[in-house]
């Protein structure tokens, strides 16, 4: 499997200018190739191949006055831009044929896009110096903040500039999960997870993990930054500075949410041999009045982390269907008690009389639906108090005289 490691870059002023030139050249080659293919399609001509486009738009274009500046950047960056266009067309056609998710047709890139990226493969002869700097062709040695060591030699590196003006180096590393280098020790623990909004995750053992609500907590700071942006004149330098401040505020929220997802998903995978989670319809829930809370929780990103970490550490992840009645079924006797409104957080099973916590009961049912051997003994369930029948004989604190004759 392929793993991606990202590290923060701190380029100098000259290196930022060189990276901006690389971003612009890659964008121009991408748009030229897209224009050539769209023109061929509209004229009914054969689809231009990548080799022909590379020769015409890169090799020959460098000798023309209008594109001579393409020679100022690494040729590998321009070649990778053409490969990105091929991948975009391939994903588009696969979606039309039902071989993958439906994606839109490739679109032209704009120089006003707030996110820019270029990729260097091994052919570019990039390297990491003895001093720990990233050496890129025609850019120089960039200072990197290494937070951890790479497990193996990376196959490529992508330099990304995000909306907040930060630079990152993203390395792709090939690993073999079958080799067992990252496998965690075997354990008998299993867990079912019920994802929610009041609590981010409820486990089948009764543990409730509070929802951080990063977006809700930062809304005052975000509102102020957005208001300052709205007061700036369009096209001015001050508006660009205000836009970066808004982007940085949102990036801070996204980073905190991602860190929370990473820590929780790693903990769940390391502590449990098998994990079950419900396949939620996030897009459908995002069209309701709970849209902001749903997006703030980030369920899809969390489940994606569980998937690749389970494959990496040799664990089992089971996703059950979204139509499984986990909130309507009693985890003790298995009787379906019918749907309940959201304000009902605790209910009593009419069949067996157990008082069930709605979220913990759903987490136990998620695990059982996935085929995991769990019990609700650790969950917050109890027998409901049942009054004695009127016909049942009782006892008195003091002896009573007998009335028998």
């Amino acid at each position: 499997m392929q793993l991606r490691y990202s590290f923060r870059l701190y380029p100098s002023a000259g290196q930022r200018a060189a990276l901006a030139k690389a971003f612009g050249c890659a964008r121009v080659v991408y748009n030229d190739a897209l224009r050539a293919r769209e023109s061929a399609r509209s004229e009914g001509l054969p689809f231009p191949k990548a080799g022909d486009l590379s020769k015409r738009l890169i090799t020959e274009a460098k000798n023309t006055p209008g594109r001579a500046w393409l020679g100022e950047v690494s040729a590998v960056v321009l070649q990778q831009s053409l490969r990105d266009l091929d991948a975009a067309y391939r994903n588009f056609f696969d979606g039309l044929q039902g071989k993958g998710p439906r994606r839109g047709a490739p679109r032209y890139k704009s120089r006003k896009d707030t996110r820019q990226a270029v990729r260097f493969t091994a052919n570019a002869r990039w390297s990491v110096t003895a001093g720990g700097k990233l050496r890129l062709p025609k850019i120089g040695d960039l200072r990197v903040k290494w937070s951890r060591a790479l497990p193996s030699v990376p196959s490529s590196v992508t330099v990304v500039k995000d909306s907040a003006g930060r630079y990152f180096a993203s390395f792709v590393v090939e690993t073999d999960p079958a080799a067992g280098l990252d496998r965690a020790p075997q354990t008998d623990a299993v867990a079912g997870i019920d994802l929610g909004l009041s609590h981010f995750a409820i486990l089948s053992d009764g543990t409730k993990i509070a929802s951080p609500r990063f977006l809700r907590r930062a809304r005052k700071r975000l509102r102020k930054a957005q208001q300052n942006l709205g007061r700036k004149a369009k096209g001015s330098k001050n508006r660009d500075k205000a836009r970066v401040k808004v982007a940085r505020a949102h990036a801070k929220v996204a980073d905190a949410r991602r860190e929370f997802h990473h820590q929780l998903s790693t903990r769940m995978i390391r502590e449990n041999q098998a994990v079950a989670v419900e396949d939620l319809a996030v897009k459908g829930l995002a069209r309701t009045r709970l849209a902001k809370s749903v997006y703030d929780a980030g369920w899809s990103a969390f489940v994606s982390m569980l998937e690749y970490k389970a494959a990496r550490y040799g664990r089992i992840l089971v996703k059950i269907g979204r139509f499984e009645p986990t909130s309507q079924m009693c985890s003790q006797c298995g009787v379906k008690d019918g749907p309940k409104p959201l304000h009902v957080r605790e209910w009593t099973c009419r069949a067996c009389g157990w008082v069930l916590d709605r979220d913990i009961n759903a987490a136990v049912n998620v695990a059982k639906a996935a085929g995991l051997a769990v019990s609700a003994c650790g969950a917050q369930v109890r027998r409901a108090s049942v009054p004695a029948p009127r016909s049942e004989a009782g006892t008195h604190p003091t002896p009573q005289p007998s009335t028998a004759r």
Side-chain angles (χ1 to χ4, degrees):
M1 63 183 301
Q2 289 184 338
L3 298 178
R4 186 175 294 276
Y5 291 80
S6 293
F7 302 93
R8 183 76 180 270
L9 291 177
Y10 295 92
S12 63
Q15 291 169 346
R16 288 197 296 268
L19 285 172
K21 189 177 298 183
F23 294 147
C25 292
R27 182 186 68 249
V28 168
V29 170
Y30 184 95
N31 290 341
D32 288 346
L34 178 57
R35 188 177 300 107
R37 287 183 169 174
E38 289 298 315
S39 300
R41 182 186 63 83
S42 60
E43 297 174 3
L45 299 176
F47 204 66
K49 297 182 179 180
D52 299 334
L53 291 176
S54 175
K55 181 180 179 180
R56 178 156 55 98
L57 301 179
I58 299 178
T59 306
E60 297 177 356
K62 291 180 181 179
N63 299 324
T64 61
R67 292 288 189 268
W69 35 264
L70 291 177
E72 299 177 7
V73 301
S74 174
V76 174
V77 170
L78 308 180
Q79 295 288 348
Q80 293 303 314
S81 184
L82 293 179
R83 289 190 175 91
D84 291 341
L85 180 61
D86 288 340
Y89 270 110
R90 185 166 54 252
N91 294 334
F92 170 63
F93 290 130
D94 288 346
L96 294 179
Q97 298 173 4
K99 299 179 181 179
R102 293 185 66 90
R103 294 185 173 93
R107 297 181 297 178
Y108 292 102
K109 294 184 178 181
S110 173
R111 62 182 180 85
K112 296 182 180 180
D113 291 341
T114 56
R115 186 185 184 278
Q116 305 283 344
V118 290
R119 186 167 63 257
F120 297 85
T121 59
N123 296 333
R125 298 181 181 179
W126 61 271
S127 62
V128 178
T129 65
K133 293 187 176 181
L134 178 62
R135 179 169 295 171
L136 299 177
K138 297 188 178 182
I139 293 177
D141 297 347
L142 285 77
R143 186 164 64 93
V144 186
K145 186 176 182 180
W146 300 100
S147 56
R148 50 187 168 175
L150 294 174
S152 61
V153 178
S155 58
S156 66
V157 58
T158 303
V159 179
V160 181
K161 180 185 177 183
D162 65 0
S163 301
R166 303 176 300 177
Y167 293 84
F168 295 90
S170 180
F171 298 90
V172 176
V173 178
E174 296 281 350
T175 59
D176 184 9
L181 299 178
D182 296 329
R183 290 185 177 271
Q186 292 285 331
T187 178
D188 296 331
V190 296
I193 303 177
D194 178 60
L195 300 175
L197 295 178
S198 57
H199 290 85
F200 177 79
I202 300 91
L203 310 185
S204 55
D205 62 355
T207 304
K208 292 187 177 182
I209 300 171
S211 180
R213 299 180 180 178
F214 296 104
L215 184 63
R216 297 282 186 181
R217 287 160 50 186
R219 58 185 175 184
K220 183 180 295 186
R221 183 174 67 253
L222 293 173
R223 185 186 300 115
K224 183 177 180 180
Q226 194 68 45
Q227 287 175 349
N228 292 334
L229 175 62
R231 296 189 182 102
K232 302 298 184 292
K234 291 185 178 181
S236 63
K237 292 293 184 180
N238 287 335
R239 185 177 179 85
D240 291 339
K241 296 178 182 178
R243 184 201 61 77
V244 172
K245 289 183 179 179
V246 172
R248 287 178 178 174
H250 280 284
K252 187 175 182 179
V253 173
D255 291 344
R257 183 188 298 115
R258 190 182 305 109
E259 180 67 16
F260 169 74
H261 288 164
H262 272 297
Q263 291 182 358
L264 180 59
S265 58
T266 301
R267 168 189 158 193
M268 295 303 304
I269 292 299
R270 287 181 175 175
E271 294 180 355
N272 301 279
Q273 187 65 30
V275 177
V277 68
E278 191 175 4
D279 184 19
L280 297 174
V282 178
K283 289 185 178 180
L285 292 172
R287 289 194 291 265
T288 65
R289 60 184 178 86
L290 303 174
K292 182 178 288 189
S293 298
V294 170
Y295 282 126
D296 192 10
W299 295 327
S300 297
F302 175 70
V303 174
S304 299
M305 292 180 184
L306 287 176
E307 285 183 308
Y308 86 80
K309 290 181 181 180
R312 179 182 180 185
Y313 294 107
R315 302 306 199 192
I316 299 174
L317 177 68
V318 183
K319 292 199 296 184
I320 68 170
R322 62 188 61 172
F323 299 108
E324 195 74 25
T326 56
S327 298
Q328 306 176 19
M329 187 182 302
C330 175
S331 59
Q332 293 293 318
C333 62
V335 173
K336 185 177 178 181
D337 206 17
K340 302 164 187 62
L342 289 177
H343 70 271
V344 177
R345 310 314 302 174
E346 192 176 88
W347 55 283
T348 303
C349 178
R350 291 177 292 184
C352 64
W354 282 90
V355 179
L356 304 165
D357 182 280
R358 179 192 182 106
D359 298 325
I360 299 177
N361 177 74
V364 174
N365 287 331
V366 167
K368 289 185 175 181
L372 305 183
V374 298
S375 64
C377 58
Q380 299 175 8
V381 295
R382 64 184 186 275
R383 284 280 189 184
S385 58
V386 181
R390 295 180 61 88
S391 59
E392 182 178 329
T395 58
H396 295 275
T398 57
Q400 299 294 322
S402 176
T403 58
R405 295 187 180 184

